[in-house]
Amino acid sequence: MHTPLRATLFIAGAAALVSLAGCSGQSVDPGPSTTPSSSRSASAPVTSAAAGTSTTTPSSTPSASCGPASGAEAASAAIAALPLPSGLEGNKWDAANADHSGYDACAALSWSVVTVDGGTPSSPYAVLLFHDGSYLGTATSRQYGFSPTVTRTGADAITVTYRYAKASDSNADPTGRTTATYTWDASTGKVVMTGDVPPEG
């Protein structure tokens, strides 16, 4: 058994905060922008055909607050500034091959997924979150190995199914699964996380 990780997002910086405030109409606290829910139960795992992709089409209403049209443009500065996990400081995030299929310039919550350049199946992946196309931060403070499955569960919510290797697993075929749901809370201008992420170790 493992306990839920009460993850917090790293804020993209003052520019992103100003942009976010303009999108949401809310004042944005420069502190952590992910608020863990008091709920300890994770949503049921979501089945998806491909990791890092949406199984439904986001429904969003275009407005003047929409962000950059392309996910690559919206994520470029964030990926460039994203710290690398311990032990991989000499590497770089593979921005050229990042998956932006979950990005929506006008959605309350959308995402992109990026891994390290020349990575292996167990290399870390970062899930970048956006509100109206403005970068919020990563879904978790720690970036987990193995490609996650991300699905849209609502106009303002996504679910991430993380994979991890159990003690008897090989890195080629991890069987561990945990699920976390991320929901944009318009009243606070923050993302609320419920559910679980892979165990430490």
Side-chain angles (χ1 to χ4, degrees):
M1 292 291 291
H2 56 273
T3 58
L5 177 67
R6 301 190 179 279
T8 58
L9 294 172
F10 293 116
I11 303 304
L17 292 175
V18 171
S19 175
L20 178 57
C23 289
S24 66
Q26 303 284 333
S27 59
V28 178
D29 182 351
S33 69
T34 296
T35 304
S37 166
S38 59
S39 170
R40 290 182 167 268
S41 62
S43 300
V46 177
T47 301
S48 176
T53 61
S54 173
T55 56
T56 59
T57 302
S59 57
S60 55
T61 304
S63 70
S65 64
C66 295
S70 79
E73 181 184 354
S76 61
I79 292 173
L82 187 63
L84 285 155
S86 177
L88 295 176
E89 293 84 358
N91 208 322
K92 66 176 183 177
W93 294 102
D94 188 4
N97 292 303
D99 179 1
H100 303 294
S101 62
Y103 174 78
D104 185 323
C106 301
L109 190 63
S110 66
W111 73 94
S112 292
V113 180
V114 64
T115 189
V116 294
D117 188 37
T120 66
S122 61
S123 292
Y125 284 77
V127 178
L128 285 64
L129 301 179
F130 303 86
H131 170 68
D132 286 343
S134 293
Y135 177 60
L136 298 173
T138 55
T140 54
S141 57
R142 175 183 173 184
Q143 312 314 326
Y144 295 96
F146 304 103
S147 178
T149 298
V150 186
T151 57
R152 178 169 295 285
T153 54
D156 59 355
I158 66 172
T159 295
V160 182
T161 300
Y162 297 97
R163 302 189 302 155
Y164 67 95
K166 294 182 177 180
S168 60
D169 292 345
S170 70
N171 279 345
D173 187 26
T175 61
R177 300 288 186 274
T178 62
T179 302
T181 297
Y182 301 86
T183 306
W184 173 255
D185 184 341
S187 66
T188 62
K190 296 183 179 182
V191 173
V192 177
M193 173 193 167
T194 58
D196 298 320
V197 293
E200 300 291 332

